[in-house]
Every structure is written in C-alpha cells, then in structure tokens.
Amino acid sequence: MAITIRKAARLEKLPPYLFAEIDKKKREVAARGVDIISLGIGDPDLPTAPHIIKALQEAATRPANHRYPDYEGLFSFRKAATDWYKSRFNVTLDPDKEAVSLIGSKEGIAHLPLAFVNPGDVVLVPDPGYPVYNIGTIFSDGEPYFMPLRKENGFLPDLKAIPEAVAQRAALMWIGYPNNPTSAVAPKEFFAEAIRFAEKHDIILCHDNAYSEVYYEGKKTPSFLEVDGAKEVGIEFHSLSKTYNMTGWRIGFAVGNAALIDGLGKIKTNVDSGVFQAVQEAGIAALTGDQGVVDEMRQICQRRRDILVRGVNAIGLACTPPLATFYVWAEVPKGYTSASFTSKILDDTGVVVTPGSGFGASGEGYIRFSLTVDTERLREAVARLQTLRL
Ligand SMILES: *Cc1c(COP(=O)(O)O)cnc(C)c1O
C-alpha cells in the first residue's frame, strides 16, 4: 500500500524554478527545427588542460587514493591552494587551520550556514545573486534579507540602506565579486566597508571568489582576504571550476578564518567525507602547473566578450562591457520584462539567454548572456540578434 509522502516545509520554501518556462519554450522552438544557440548556462565549453587530466589518470591507479579521503582534504592540496593564494594575492594562510577542500565551492556555500545560522537568524543575500546563497539560508532555517544590487551603485549592495534592526539579527552576509550575474567587480574599498560593517554588527562575512581568474585587459581582481581585518570576520570560497575549466570535476576550497573553516569542516565530516583524492591530485597539478592555460582561457573569453558586447550594443541594449566573468548583463528594452524579452529572443532567433529575474526580484529588467560558445557560434548569435525588431 502506498504511503503519503509529504515534503518537508523547507522544500516548499524553495523559490519557484523560473527557468521552467524557458526550458519549455526551448523545446518548442527546437521542435520547429530551429538550431538553438544556448548563451544561457554558466558552464565553460573549453576542455580541461591535458596535464591536469594526466595527473588524474596517474592518481586514479594508486590504491591509496581508492579509500575514503579526509574530509578536510589532502594536506598537499590545501598547501597547493594556500601557496597559490600567496603567489596570486600575497595572502598568507595556514594550510592546516585556514583551508578546507570542497566538492566544488557550491557545496561549501550550501553547507556553511548549517554551521553558523540558527532558525530565525537573518542572512544578508545579494539580489540578483547566485541562487545557492538563498537556498543555503532556507535549508538552515535562516531568514534571507535581500540586498538589491543596483546599476547606480556599481552593482554593489548599499550597506547603509540595511535597517539597523535587520543588521542586529543578521548572522551572516554573502558577497561575491567578480559577480555572477551582473559581472561587476568590487574595489578593495568596498571590501573594507563590508568588513567594518561585519565588525560593527558581529556578522560573518562570506566572499565568493569563483571568478577571480576570469578577468580582462590584464586587470587582476583582488581577493577579499587582501584587505585588513578580513580574516578576523570572514571566509573566501574559491573554485577550480571556472579557472581551469573543471566544473565537472567538483573541486574547490574555502580559506580564511580558522573558526569558520573548522565549523564548515564539522558539517562536511558528518555529511560528505571529502573529495576523491585523485581529483585533489589533479587539482594540485592545476594550481601548481603551467598557468599559461589560464591566460589562454582569458584571451578566448575576452575575444568572445568583444564580439558579444558589440552585438548587444548594435541592437541598442545598454550594457557595461565586463572586466571579469564570462557574463554580459544587459538591460531589456522598454516595453519588455526580463521574461518577455528572453521569450522574444528565443522565439525570433533561437538564442537562449537567462532572464535576470531568475536571479532575484532586483534582476528584473535585465538579461544575462554567457560567453560559453565558440566565436563562430557567437557571431552567428549576434547576426541573429541583429534581425530582432524591437
Ligand atoms: C560557478 C559558481 C560557483 C561554484 O562553482 P563550483 O563548480 O561549485 O565550484 C560559485 N559561485 C558562483 C557565483 C558561480 O557562478
């Protein structure tokens, strides 16, 4: 006899899947025989470099790697990560106490609130933002407070606009620059302001730095840990996914405050037991090997950016050419919403973009293009966009 299966309330609290409508439309358009070009997803199309794959192949043959890993990661992986932080950002970290490996940074972002957020605590969440900040809050029975990211503030949250009563109840704040979806970068002054805010209100500051290596025009973006006081209040999430085209491998790490790393580690040791060691060895090869592959990735993305930005401007959409990330965040024309414009583009051209409203209410009025197809397909997408009648 079938039982009644009731979903937990936290599943009911998840935001509606706003891409369901797009997915449906995409299938309809594809069924008409239209060749779909997807600029919707944030997943690099480029392959992982051969020396990284070779490191995995060799590591996979060693029986020591077939056993349970330590949840915190191989010391050699954490050392490679903290050495990389030293050489890239001049940030000194203790690989033993101030670093933990992650099964992709998404895993750490989702798990961290379980260690530090109590039911009813406020979590400050950027809007628009990477959906996992909000979802991790909901799963820990916290209460999200959305900080709008507006064009007039350079897509940085206005910390002075957060009501005192909210700040007092806040346990944790998420920020992430270079930003997904707006592609904005943050100056160090903003990180300093966020650190002062965290100190004043006793708030844990979490910085998501997944796109630090996807920068353009040689303009390197900082780590939040470069700023005085950061390690006293916060933690930074990093990922090999976007830097080394390794999204499928599931490897990242968190660095920063030792008590925060310890709390996150406590959750991990009870939930997931860590990253396959052969993948960690491949991660070491990525972090310590030839960084020319990262330069190459940047050059490819920058060429794509230039093609797409020119196309977006040619059809009259306002957008700031990104200085980092593989996204272009463009304003929808008058008379459209994010959803209706996304729909029109798909219907009329077969190009898939992401509606800004899918990243939160303040993303309304924008669409996001991803630079994750080759230049030939991107030129084709631009040519089709130019046929749009607005
Ligand atoms: C891609 C992405 C991540 C994490 O990716 P992982 O593959 O889980 O490391 C984290 N934050 C943002 C904003 C991203 O876009």
Side-chain angles (χ1 to χ4, degrees):
M1 199 177 86
I3 58 159
T4 308
I5 296 174
R6 277 185 224 93
K7 287 191 179 122
R10 68 177 62 84
L11 282 192
E12 307 295 342
K13 279 200 246 168
L14 289 179
Y17 184 62
L18 279 160
F19 306 116
E21 193 65 22
I22 296 290
D23 287 345
K24 189 164 146 249
K25 180 137 241 167
K26 196 168 136 181
R27 281 193 299 274
E28 284 167 17
V29 174
R32 295 204 309 257
V34 175
D35 160 42
I36 300 274
I37 303 178
S38 180
L39 307 181
I41 50 165
D43 191 353
D45 57 312
L46 301 167
T48 308
H51 70 275
I52 301 171
I53 296 171
K54 193 150 168 281
L56 171 73
Q57 285 171 329
E58 282 167 8
T61 63
R62 282 200 297 282
N65 287 337
H66 301 163
R67 312 192 64 192
Y68 283 119
D70 289 329
Y71 74 88
E72 75 270 30
L74 290 166
F75 180 79
S76 51
F77 175 74
R78 286 175 286 139
K79 178 84 166 61
T82 54
D83 285 351
W84 184 84
Y85 254 67
K86 182 71 190 169
S87 69
R88 168 65 173 85
F89 300 116
N90 197 27
V91 168
T92 306
L93 294 153
D94 175 355
D96 233 348
K97 294 194 167 60
E98 295 175 334
V100 63
S101 71
L102 297 172
I103 310 171
S105 59
K106 180 182 189 178
E107 177 261 301
I109 291 167
H111 277 148
L112 182 93
L114 292 177
F116 298 102
V117 173
N118 280 310
D121 283 354
V122 166
V123 175
L124 302 168
V125 174
D127 168 19
Y130 182 56
V132 189
Y133 310 142
N134 179 32
I135 287 164
T137 303
I138 292 170
F139 281 173
S140 62
D141 294 317
E143 200 184 289
Y145 177 88
F146 294 103
M147 306 182 288
L149 307 185
R150 298 208 168 92
K151 181 185 173 185
E152 59 269 28
N153 297 325
F155 299 107
L156 303 170
D158 180 2
L159 303 181
K160 290 186 285 298
I162 298 168
E164 182 67 25
V166 171
Q168 271 172 16
R169 285 176 52 214
L172 199 149
M173 171 158 78
W174 287 104
I175 49 175
Y177 295 91
N179 187 258
N180 176 13
T182 69
S183 82
V185 296
K188 280 199 210 174
E189 292 72 33
F190 169 72
F191 292 139
E193 188 196 340
I195 291 165
R196 297 295 93 78
F197 184 84
E199 288 167 343
K200 181 168 173 212
H201 300 286
D202 259 326
I203 294 171
I204 294 166
L205 192 50
C206 298
H207 184 240
D208 180 359
N209 206 2
Y211 293 94
S212 74
E213 302 318 293
V214 193
Y215 58 78
Y216 303 125
E217 301 171 19
K219 294 182 178 141
K220 289 187 181 180
T221 59
S223 159
F224 128 92
L225 295 171
E226 289 175 39
V227 180
D228 278 348
K231 216 200 276 180
E232 280 66 49
V233 302
I235 188 173
E236 184 159 272
F237 289 85
H238 214 284
S239 172
L240 279 72
S241 289
K242 315 292 162 61
T243 306
Y244 300 105
N245 303 316
M246 290 177 76
T247 46
W249 297 59
R250 310 314 301 134
I251 184 159
F253 56 92
V255 286
N257 185 279
L260 296 176
I261 296 291
D262 185 61
L264 176 55
K266 285 233 162 62
I267 301 295
K268 288 182 57 60
T269 183
N270 285 289
V271 174
D272 63 44
S273 303
V275 181
F276 179 30
Q277 285 185 5
V279 170
Q280 294 187 58
E281 292 205 24
I284 296 170
L287 290 164
T288 62
D290 176 15
Q291 301 301 299
V293 296
V294 187
D295 262 326
E296 220 171 280
M297 173 275 291
R298 278 189 284 265
Q299 280 164 23
I300 291 169
C301 286
Q302 189 168 322
R303 274 200 295 278
R304 293 176 180 180
R305 175 198 71 159
D306 294 343
I307 292 167
L308 186 66
V309 167
R310 240 180 284 129
V312 165
N313 288 336
I315 60 170
L317 305 187
C319 81
T320 312
L323 283 175
T325 78
F326 41 65
Y327 305 113
V328 173
W329 185 242
E331 290 176 46
V332 307
K334 272 212 174 53
Y336 293 95
T337 62
S338 295
S340 71
F341 194 55
T342 299
S343 225
K344 179 178 173 62
I345 293 178
L346 182 50
D347 253 340
D348 295 1
T349 71
V351 174
V352 179
V353 302
T354 308
S357 51
F359 298 98
S362 298
E364 181 51 67
Y366 290 87
I367 52 172
R368 190 192 74 175
F369 296 88
S370 294
L371 302 170
T372 47
V373 299
D374 64 33
T375 50
E376 194 186 323
R377 291 293 277 168
L378 207 52
R379 284 206 180 90
E380 166 70 17
V382 165
R384 291 193 206 170
L385 289 172
Q386 280 167 343
T387 67
L388 272 179
R389 284 210 223 115
L390 303 175

